[in-house]
Amino acid sequence: TVKERPQEGEVVAVGPGRYLNNGKRLETEIKAGDKVIYSKYAGSEIQVEDEELLVIGANDVLAKIS
């Protein structure tokens, strides 16, 4: 198998977080403007106006770059 290197990107928007099984919300630690490393094949590419964006889940974010 071929190992793929992670990709880098800048976060442009973040949702409110996900709900846990007990009904409490787990807020994300990532915010707009953060630079992150994500898995190569994570998410779905979408076109918004003339810009191509990638929508990924928080579980696909490998690291936040400071």
Side-chain angles (χ1 to χ4, degrees):
T1 61
V2 177
K3 291 186 179 181
E4 295 292 336
R5 289 197 283 168
Q7 302 292 310
E8 283 185 33
E10 183 177 342
V11 178
V12 293
V14 178
R18 66 183 176 99
Y19 286 100
L20 301 174
N21 291 336
N22 62 7
K24 292 186 179 181
R25 183 178 299 209
L26 178 64
E27 295 185 21
T28 61
E29 296 179 15
I30 299 167
K31 61 184 182 303
D34 287 345
K35 294 198 186 290
V36 295
I37 298 174
Y38 57 88
S39 301
K40 172 102 175 147
Y41 297 107
S44 301
E45 293 180 357
I46 63 169
Q47 187 80 23
V48 177
E49 296 176 3
D50 293 334
E51 193 171 11
E52 191 169 306
L53 302 173
L54 181 67
V55 178
I56 63 172
N59 291 340
D60 292 322
V61 175
L62 303 176
K64 183 167 97 170
I65 303 170
S66 50

